[in-house]
Amino acid sequence: PWSVLAGGRLTGKYEGGAKPKDARHTLFPKFQSRYFEDRLCAPISEYSKIAKEADMSVTTLALAFCKSQVFIPSTIIGAT
């Protein structure tokens, strides 16, 4: 499934390779594994810089992007 927060990568909880004890990706590393490929480190780092410059979190940036797209009618977010 598609995830507006890239399976948690855009929340900051996995920043710097962190693996929080009860986080979904830590418990189920193959779930949404495409969001944890090495090739995504550079883009996510750039998103973080853009968010910092705009004085917002990467999560807020991702949600604002989705909200601004006419082809995305809503966003559904779950938390673990």
Side-chain angles (χ1 to χ4, degrees):
W2 181 77
S3 169
V4 65
L5 299 178
R9 286 289 300 268
L10 296 178
T11 65
K13 73 174 149 183
Y14 298 108
E15 194 169 343
K19 294 186 177 187
K21 180 182 167 202
D22 294 324
R24 186 179 314 169
H25 185 70
T26 304
L27 298 173
F28 309 101
K30 292 187 181 195
F31 180 73
Q32 295 185 336
S33 60
R34 69 181 175 274
Y35 296 122
F36 292 85
E37 295 175 3
D38 289 340
R39 66 187 178 91
L40 296 178
C41 291
I44 290 172
S45 177
E46 288 301 311
Y47 300 149
S48 294
K49 289 177 189 174
I50 293 167
K52 240 179 219 173
E53 289 172 9
D55 196 29
M56 65 176 69
S57 68
V58 182
T59 301
T60 301
L61 179 69
L63 293 171
F65 170 79
C66 288
K67 185 177 179 185
S68 73
Q69 304 304 304
V70 296
F71 54 87
I72 301 176
S74 67
T75 54
I76 299 171
I77 303 168
T80 57

